[in-house]
Amino acid sequence: MTTITPSPPAARPARASFTRLLRAEWTKFRTVRGWVIALCAAAVMFVLLSYLSAFESRYAEPSVPTGPGGEAVSDTYMFLHQTLTGDGTLTARVVALSGAYASPAPTSGNAFGTSARGGPDSQLDRGLAPWAKAGIILEPNTRQGTDYAAVMVTGSHGVRMQYNYTHDRPGLAGPVGPSSPRWLRLTRTGDLITSYDSTDGASWTKIGTVRLTGLPRTVQIGPFVTSPAYLPAGAAAPASSVATAAFDQVSARGDLARRSWTPDAITGSGYYPYESPARTWQERSPSAFTISGSGDVAPLVGDILSPQWAGASIVNGTIVALLSVIVLGTLYATSEYRRGLIRTTFTASPCRGRVLAAKAAVAGSLAFAAGAIATAIAEVITRHVLAANGSYLFPQSGPDLARVIIGTGLFLGLAAALAVALGMMLRRGAFTVAAGITLLVLPGILGSQSGNWLMRFAPTAAFAIQATLPRSSLVTSDYTPPNGYFPISPWVSLAVLAAYTAAALALAAWLLRTRDA
């Protein structure tokens, strides 16, 4: 009699096995109605809290000028100007530059308080803003946001040539003073503007030449002074400041409509005080002036414009969603331990690492979808509400908006996977929730108060994925997380959280293999 040995069953591919695990874990999740409701509630709370946060923000900013490139700019300064037709040259010597700043809390409707009318005095704290500027400027007109080229001395950055708000070239280093004056010169040839500086008025060094395309034949040229918001050491908020400069040996060559100077306080931002021209300049002789000015000619950054970062509304909503995701991921991971069903799961699927991966994938995918959808809705609603409340909103490009939406979804998805890994390691809900909050929420609170290193290396670094505010090396500002600035780039910040999640999943997989269910 012939014995036939049956062939062993064909092994199922690992991919098919993992697909069944994913389907099984998805079925577990959707059949627990409370988890589905909690996930939907987290998305709703995200949108609702973002809306309420935006609704409560009623800080009305003034209109904001835009520069030649369409960027938001500060364009506030004191200007003595003449009309120049065609080519010409303006030369001036700056012999002194001093400054003062007021308390961040104003004592009247004026940002300085009543004591600041007319410039620095004994009731103000002495201090020169690093980017206080005094020099000569050429521009087509005195409208805010217009093209310009200027050469200037600064509080702490030496002589600079700057043009069109975002461009900067260095000149002579060091501070200006009676023992170290600086001669400055601007020369126009067509639409080419060339700047020079000198220590003695005899030997000149060229700083640079720029082309202001479309520059009209008739332009405004003259000395100017401005001083931006000043952040004193140890201060919690920037203060309005004023700078005073002494010019002499001011001389012009070219076709000038008249030989007298017209003072103009170029102003628009309500953050800086309005001063009448009569109070901010003094003519000591036909070629010597003392000018005081406040404001800035530079790109606009977020916290200088408003104490309320517009993106904070989205951040507030994210925090609530993050807490919900931590709790939901914890319950999803620990419920089988609590009910004793984990043995059944591991009996059906002996490869415990795959079970962990399937749970993390399901929880992460659902949190990603809910987070991305909620962020997209919240972005539309909050920007509309903030604009209706009078808050200025920095332009947001399509790629930036996509990054915030997708990145926030990934942030919440990785957080859910991390919570699952913690739950499989700790097995108890209360401990896991506490561990998740300690890792994902607490460092953000501590980091905003004590320093930026936590926001670089802790999982909460991932909040930087939502950063959209502009920053500039030409503006001294408080670039900190409470103001919407993070010490790490957006996608790198998400990689930090991904690294924590991967490490937690690897540790959880090892523990699952080495201990009893």
Side-chain angles (χ1 to χ4, degrees), residues 89-118:
T89 298
L90 180 64
T91 302
R93 184 176 74 157
V94 185
V95 295
L97 179 63
S98 61
Y101 65 93
S103 167
T107 58
S108 73
N110 187 313
F112 279 103
T114 55
S115 66
R117 302 294 294 181

Side-chain angles (χ1 to χ4, degrees), residues 448-492:
S448 64
Q449 302 297 324
S450 61
N452 283 339
W453 69 270
L454 277 173
M455 299 304 291
R456 290 180 183 271
F457 303 114
T460 43
F463 274 104
I465 198 68
Q466 298 176 327
T468 57
L469 290 178
R471 71 170 72 203
S472 172
S473 61
L474 305 182
V475 181
T476 300
S477 185
D478 194 14
Y479 295 115
T480 56
N483 290 320
Y485 294 94
F486 298 86
I488 190 170
S489 64
W491 291 113
V492 171

